[in-house]
Amino acid sequence: LLKRFKGKAIYSLLARLTDRGLICEELRLTGNNHGRRERLIRAVSVVGSLAPGDTTPAQKRLYELLLETGETTLSALNKRVGNAAATVKRLEARRLVTVREQRTQADPMAGVAGRAARHVPNAAQKTAIEAITKVLGSTVFSPFLLYGVTGSGKTLVYLEVLEEVVRGGGRALLLVPEIGLTSWAAEYLKDRFGSLVALYHSGLTESERCGQWRRVQSGEARIIVGARSALFAPVADLSLIIVDEEHDPSYKQDDGVRYNGRDAALMLGKFLKIPVVLGSATPAVETFYNTTSRRFTMLRLDKRVEGRALPVVEIVDMKGCKGQVISERLLVLMEETFSAGNEVLLFLNRRGFSGCLICRDCGFSFTCVNCSVTLTFHKGRKRLRCHYCGYFAAAPQCCPACKGINLHDPGMGTEKVEEEVRRLFPDKKILRMDSDTTRKKGALKAMMRAMEHGEADVLIGTQMVSKGHHYPGITLVGIISGDTSLNLPDFRSPERTFQLVTQAAGRGGRGDRSGRVVIQSTNPSHYALKRAALHDYDGFYAEEIEARKELSYPPFSRLALIRIEGPGERAALKASSVLKEVAARLLPRYGEDISCLGPVPALVARVKGEYRFNMLIKGTQPRLLHDFVCELTRGFREKFTSASTRFVAEMDPVNIL
């Protein structure tokens, strides 16, 4: 069909014919691949009566076991009775048992334990629940921002609203920013909704994904929880979309088809005319701005549940403390915390032992062969690794340039923090949660369980420890470096710093005991850190929005990022020159509505063997920005035709570096 209509708008024609009821579409799995994703289950049950003394001891034992347990899978019988397959075959031949075969997929929800959350909503939660449920089924696009401080009970609001959706016969989608966070959501949902919940994300095995796809497509699952790719699940009659931690940059897909899961959820809600709930303790500046301009409805949870106090936060000035991992103030508070029988969380958004390895004798630094970055030193594995392309090499004993042995590892990562804590507190049990320690399936879940049950004294981790987790035993949070993201040349650096610090600080004092937070920083007077210490999002927003307005950054403009990528530096440089020339020719036609910055080499100019040049385009009117990017794309491709150099256009980029 596609070949016969080549060159025509076949998909548009199909959509119009379907809408008029002249043709119908059917989703169907093709090929033999899906068959291999299914497992063959053999279940054994009793059908005949066994005469006394008419069988062997092994057959009698298995027969009595089946009478006791009822229909049992052959694999389960093999675990309890030796050589069960042969015994079942003999009993089947005598028509004493029957074997039933069926195909089934692995179920990722099978190992999920339900987590009760049957709390009574407080006044603020009730107001939020009523506002959302009021518009369910109204066929009106209703975007909400559920803004609640950490520990304010946003999850309970989600659960109550989802229950109303299920009660009304609808279906809902709950998005979380990372696959690792689907486990806690699945636990709360399973307790309330049981088999009506489906998991849908790229971390599932082929068998699991196939099974969940069938459950979603058939309508068996009423609530789908997953990461950004869950937006593409075959859900019919969708009634509600919830985007938890909506501010998180993980919702942005940075390769392949580039899209933002949060923005795509809003557009899907607009198309379907259903409510979309964005939840966060630290909303994106653009999202909060949409509430002030009345595009979104604001729902606030200003206090923690059960009257719990927000943690007391103090900032420690680390100027002059070169190489010091843990300040004296943080050390004193850690000792007090351990004496009281409580737990500590230490947050540093940088993994590895140190950011680089340098020879003090000649200044040689170990850099990646594929990327223009230094290799991160991982002391535990005795490796140097690139966190961009994955290249690694064994950590050397001496400098390859001068053969000196005076190698220095400046900077720090979570591995160095762990080493320092073990030196200071050798008797404490320490867990480190980063992408190095959670590679194995189930490792992240096991660490979370250990912390929830008080089986560790110290949790050290990157940004993954700051998202959504509830650790009631943690009363002290130490933010080792509040400057990690603050010094990046990105207009969103203050916002990301405020979000990371606030989210990490919010892990403290979530149980019955009050919490304390220490932020270590060499820039303690920065407004992002000072506002985070005061739990003052409104104050941070007021300062940040003025800076954005002055420089005409979002939400006062829309951005497009044009990236030139190619394996040769000379070709990439030539392509960037052509891009600049085409942009200069087009700009006069758009006046002050469009402005361009660059192209210039990216902050990391070479990644995975390819050189990169960036151009950032600002537009005050979205339609004009789209028109300009389209014209720029056509003009560039007409003048530069090298197949090895790529032109990538990305609207509303989250990462401009």
Side-chain angles (χ1 to χ4, degrees):
L1 184 63
L2 292 176
K3 291 179 180 178
R4 292 186 63 183
F5 285 86
K6 187 176 180 181
K8 297 187 178 182
I10 179 64
Y11 294 105
S12 178
L13 289 171
L14 289 173
R16 288 200 291 272
L17 290 171
T18 303
D19 290 341
R20 294 174 62 184
L22 297 174
I23 63 172
C24 65
E25 292 181 274
E26 179 182 331
L27 292 171
R28 184 181 299 171
L29 290 175
T30 60
N32 296 321
N33 243 5
H34 65 276
R36 293 201 300 272
R37 297 171 189 165
E38 299 175 324
R39 293 186 299 135
L40 186 66
I41 300 296
R42 304 183 69 192
V44 186
S45 58
V46 172
V47 293
S49 299
L50 182 66
D54 189 29
T55 187
T56 65
Q59 293 175 7
K60 182 179 179 182
R61 182 185 173 195
L62 190 145
Y63 182 87
E64 291 175 346
L65 178 62
L66 286 171
L67 285 177
E68 178 186 341
T69 60
E71 187 177 59
T72 309
T73 63
L74 185 58
S75 59
L77 289 173
N78 274 320
K79 293 178 181 178
R80 300 185 63 177
V81 180
N83 198 22
T87 306
V88 166
K89 190 173 182 179
R90 295 187 185 97
L91 290 173
E92 185 182 20
R94 298 177 59 190
R95 298 183 179 178
L96 296 175
V97 302
T98 183
V99 180
R100 181 173 60 88
E101 295 184 347
Q102 65 179 32
R103 293 189 179 275
T104 185
Q105 290 92 14
D107 182 9
M109 292 293 293
V112 176
R115 183 191 297 251
R118 303 285 176 172
H119 304 293
V120 178
N122 58 31
Q125 290 171 322
K126 283 181 181 178
T127 300
I129 293 165
E130 289 170 1
I132 300 168
T133 55
K134 186 178 179 180
V135 298
L136 287 174
S138 64
T139 65
V140 176
F141 172 53
S142 304
F144 294 92
L145 170 61
L146 180 61
Y147 163 51
V149 298
T150 55
S152 60
K154 293 184 289 294
T155 301
L156 183 60
V157 175
Y158 299 156
L159 292 173
E160 294 292 327
V161 174
L162 289 171
E163 194 162 295
E164 189 65 27
V165 170
V166 172
R167 190 181 295 119
R171 304 173 75 189
L173 183 62
L174 172 60
L175 300 182
V176 293
E178 293 184 3
I179 292 172
L181 294 174
T182 57
S183 58
W184 73 264
E187 289 173 356
Y188 284 115
L189 293 170
K190 186 172 183 178
D191 175 73
R192 289 231 182 179
F193 307 107
S195 61
L196 297 179
V197 182
L199 279 176
Y200 201 93
H201 55 72
S202 59
L204 301 177
T205 65
E206 285 191 344
S207 177
E208 290 172 337
R209 198 181 308 178
C210 182
Q212 296 300 288
W213 188 93
R214 288 182 186 276
R215 294 186 64 235
V216 173
Q217 193 268 340
S218 67
E220 177 187 344
R222 312 299 299 175
I223 298 173
I224 298 89
V225 56
R228 59 178 180 254
S229 61
L231 277 169
F232 306 105
V235 189
D237 303 321
L238 194 60
S239 302
L240 173 71
I241 303 174
I242 297 173
V243 184
D244 192 35
E245 306 290 357
E246 63 84 25
H247 66 276
D248 200 294
S250 299
Y251 278 117
K252 186 62 186 285
Q253 174 79 26
D254 286 326
D255 54 11
V257 178
R258 291 165 166 82
Y259 69 97
N260 190 311
R262 177 199 62 201
D263 298 343
L266 287 166
M267 289 305 299
L268 181 59
K270 189 173 183 178
F271 290 148
L272 299 178
K273 299 180 180 179
I274 61 173
V276 178
V277 180
L278 309 180
S280 178
T282 54
V285 169
E286 294 92 330
T287 302
F288 200 86
Y289 179 80
N290 280 331
T291 65
T292 64
S293 59
R294 307 296 182 184
R295 294 177 183 173
F296 296 176
T297 300
M298 168 73 82
L299 304 172
R300 296 184 74 116
L301 305 177
D302 291 323
K303 296 181 180 179
R304 283 187 163 183
V305 295
E306 299 176 356
R308 295 171 187 160
L310 288 164
V312 177
V313 184
E314 54 186 290
I315 303 176
V316 175
D317 191 348
M318 297 296 286
K319 288 194 291 287
C321 303
K322 187 177 181 179
Q324 188 173 353
V325 177
I326 297 176
S327 64
E328 294 297 327
R329 178 57 178 162
L330 180 56
L331 181 60
V332 168
L333 291 177
M334 289 178 70
E335 291 170 344
E336 291 177 0
T337 302
F338 294 140
S339 298
N342 298 325
E343 298 155 16
V344 175
L345 184 149
L346 299 178
F347 169 77
L348 177 62
N349 200 27
R350 183 177 292 149
R351 61 190 174 106
F353 188 82
S354 67
C356 57
L357 197 61
I358 299 173
C359 175
R360 278 179 166 164
D361 294 333
C362 70
F364 178 84
S365 62
F366 295 83
T367 57
C368 179
V369 297
N370 304 311
C371 311
S372 55
V373 294
T374 56
L375 295 171
T376 301
F377 178 39
H378 291 255
K379 189 174 182 179
R381 295 190 175 187
K382 298 180 180 179
R383 281 183 178 178
L384 296 170
R385 178 178 288 275
C386 175
H387 291 170
Y388 283 87
C389 71
Y391 169 82
F392 66 89
Q397 298 295 320
C398 63
C399 173
C402 69
K403 307 305 179 185
I405 59 173
N406 193 10
L407 300 180
H408 177 50
D409 48 26
M412 58 181 160
T414 50
E415 198 177 349
K416 182 176 280 190
V417 176
E418 180 185 11
E419 181 181 84
E420 181 68 4
V421 175
R422 290 192 186 280
R423 183 185 69 81
L424 295 169
F425 302 99
D427 59 328
K428 300 302 177 184
K429 185 173 181 181
I430 301 167
L431 292 177
R432 176 163 56 91
M433 187 185 292
D434 55 31
S435 56
D436 294 324
T437 60
T438 57
R439 293 182 187 278
K440 292 184 180 179
K441 189 173 183 178
L444 176 60
K445 192 173 181 179
M447 288 187 189
M448 291 167 58
R449 280 277 183 269
M451 289 305 301
E452 288 176 2
H453 292 97
E455 297 171 4
D457 302 297
V458 184
L459 175 64
I460 301 167
T462 55
Q463 47 84 26
M464 64 173 61
V465 305
S466 67
K467 299 177 182 179
H469 304 307
H470 181 72
Y471 308 121
I474 290 177
T475 59
L476 175 64
V477 176
I479 298 171
I480 301 301
S481 175
D483 310 317
T484 302
S485 58
L486 193 58
N487 298 323
L488 293 174
D490 185 340
F491 75 94
R492 287 194 176 95
S493 293
E495 178 185 7
R496 286 178 181 160
T497 299
F498 178 88
Q499 289 167 343
L500 280 171
V501 169
T502 302
Q503 292 284 347
R507 300 311 107 194
R510 296 173 73 94
D512 299 329
R513 292 152 288 186
S514 59
R516 296 186 69 94
V517 179
V518 173
I519 304 172
Q520 299 181 167
S521 172
T522 57
N523 191 5
S525 61
H526 195 282
Y527 69 92
L529 297 178
K530 291 173 71 175
R531 294 296 182 179
L534 295 171
H535 308 287
D536 183 12
Y537 178 86
D538 292 276
F540 166 77
Y541 173 81
E543 294 195 52
E544 180 66 13
I545 202 71
E546 285 302 315
R548 299 276 185 97
K549 187 175 183 179
E550 183 179 347
L551 297 172
S552 189
Y553 276 117
F556 302 101
S557 67
R558 294 280 295 276
L559 299 182
L561 179 68
I562 307 298
R563 175 165 289 160
I564 300 295
E565 300 175 343
E569 184 177 15
R570 183 175 297 178
L573 181 60
K574 182 179 179 181
S576 69
S577 299
V578 171
L579 178 65
K580 186 174 183 178
E581 178 186 329
V582 174
R585 176 169 51 82
L586 294 174
L587 279 172
R589 290 164 43 191
Y590 289 85
E592 296 182 355
D593 293 315
I594 300 292
S595 61
C596 295
L597 301 174
V600 295
L603 181 65
V604 182
R606 185 167 173 253
V607 173
K608 298 180 181 179
E610 297 201 330
Y611 294 87
R612 310 188 306 166
F613 289 80
N614 289 344
M615 171 182 278
L616 189 65
I617 306 170
K618 292 182 186 178
T620 56
Q621 298 183 45
R623 185 174 296 278
L624 289 179
L625 178 62
H626 282 110
D627 290 345
F628 180 81
V629 171
C630 289
E631 283 201 72
L632 183 64
T633 303
R634 285 194 297 269
F636 174 81
R637 287 176 175 163
E638 287 172 1
K639 300 196 69 173
F640 194 88
T641 57
S642 172
S644 63
T645 303
R646 290 188 303 280
F647 175 98
V648 179
E650 181 179 354
M651 301 301 299
D652 300 316
V654 171
N655 179 13
I656 64 172
L657 302 180

